[in-house]
Amino acid sequence: AQKVTQAQTEISVVEKEDVTLDCVYETRDTTYYLFWYKQPPSGELVFLIRRNSFDEQNEISGRYSWNFQKSTSSFNFTITASQVVDSAVYFCALRTQGGSEKLVFGKGTKLTVNP
Amino acid sequence: GAGVSQSPSNKVTEKGKDVELRCDPISGHTALYWYRQSLGQGLEFLIYFQGNSAPDKSGLPSDRFSAERTGGSVSTLTIQRTQQEDSAVYLCASSLTRARPLDQYFGPGTRLLVL
């Protein structure tokens, strides 16, 4: 069975602070993909990043960075110098290859960035 | 180009009534997914359509839920005899299956409230 755990339900930071959102996953498949989505108050899920299970190279995109570690089954997301516009619910998701390739989501972390 | 669209944006219904939710995927996307986002349950997969293949209905919570996809494009999710626990945001996503690894693009969702 596949499972994604986002242990942090809510996080509140002050603008310009760095914040890390944790994601731990479970799967028995050797080929899988990990995702992060952002859901702002408007409600629409916005794709942020996709990583495959064979690529553990960390990625940086502007103020966003992702740390994928297969040894700990984690795919953590860090926002550097947070801004009020980063306030949203962030979802980590897992998808295995084959079949319907549905996404298995964590329950999300609500991030509030205060001015 | 146009993204995934869903209608209605909001729906309020009385317990016991039937509702239909519509999803228009991105043009050319052959795969279509329905997910449900409810408080305390996070995002849950409901059903998946891929071309002319039999849909993956493994996520439908009960036989009151059904979905169809006409002409390989528009999809309708029907909930019969709605219950209060059906209140949730219903999200539709589509993906272009000629590409790997099938990134899913989400619509804005339909917020369903069953009174």
Side-chain angles (χ1 to χ4, degrees):
Chain A
Q2 289 99 39
K3 183 179 179 181
V4 176
T5 302
Q6 294 179 256
Q8 304 148 309
T9 305
E10 294 192 41
I11 299 176
S12 182
V13 299
V14 177
E15 207 169 17
K16 297 184 183 178
E17 285 185 21
D18 299 348
V19 58
T20 295
L21 310 181
D22 297 333
C23 173
V24 175
Y25 63 93
E26 296 176 29
T27 180
R28 293 183 178 182
D29 293 301
T30 55
T31 302
Y32 53 89
Y33 298 91
L34 295 163
F35 299 78
W36 276 95
Y37 283 88
K38 175 182 180 180
Q39 188 176 45
S42 61
E44 193 159 347
L45 276 170
V46 178
F47 168 83
L48 295 178
I49 190 172
R50 167 192 11 97
R51 302 297 285 176
N52 73 55
S53 52
F54 298 109
D55 183 3
E56 288 191 71
Q57 190 171 13
N58 292 329
E59 183 160 338
I60 298 174
S61 176
R63 296 184 297 106
Y64 295 171
S65 62
W66 291 269
N67 183 358
F68 176 27
Q69 293 192 351
K70 288 179 74 171
S71 61
T72 56
S73 297
S74 65
F75 186 43
N76 296 338
F77 173 31
T78 297
I79 302 174
T80 303
S82 60
Q83 299 176 1
V84 173
V85 293
D86 296 328
S87 296
V89 180
Y90 291 85
F91 291 94
C92 181
L94 167 70
R95 192 185 73 219
T96 53
Q97 191 163 310
S100 66
E101 306 201 5
K102 65 190 178 189
L103 289 167
V104 175
F105 286 88
K107 292 193 181 297
T109 297
K110 182 178 180 181
L111 173 65
T112 302
V113 181
N114 298 299
Chain B
V4 177
S5 60
Q6 293 185 245
S7 60
S9 300
N10 294 279
K11 177 71 177 180
V12 180
T13 190
E14 294 179 348
K15 179 181 173 181
K17 295 282 181 70
D18 297 351
V19 295
E20 284 189 354
L21 313 179
R22 177 186 168 107
C23 171
D24 284 89
I26 293 173
S27 178
H29 281 196
T30 58
L32 186 147
Y33 303 76
W34 282 99
Y35 293 87
R36 177 171 72 173
Q37 184 176 18
S38 50
L39 285 174
Q41 297 298 320
L43 277 151
E44 305 168 285
F45 165 79
L46 295 177
I47 188 169
Y48 161 74
F49 294 93
Q50 170 50 52
N52 296 320
S53 302
D56 176 356
K57 304 179 182 180
S58 60
L60 294 178
S62 78
D63 58 8
R64 296 186 296 104
F65 287 72
S66 63
E68 62 178 22
R69 190 177 184 194
T70 54
S73 181
V74 172
S75 176
T76 302
L77 176 69
T78 301
I79 309 174
Q80 295 177 309
R81 306 180 302 282
T82 52
Q83 304 294 313
Q84 289 180 333
E85 61 263 27
D86 299 334
S87 296
V89 176
Y90 290 82
L91 291 162
C92 178
S94 69
S95 66
L96 179 63
T97 56
R98 288 193 298 279
R100 282 285 173 180
L102 314 185
D103 291 342
Q104 295 177 28
Y105 297 87
F106 284 81
T110 293
R111 286 165 178 74
L112 174 65
L113 177 61
V114 181
L115 301 176

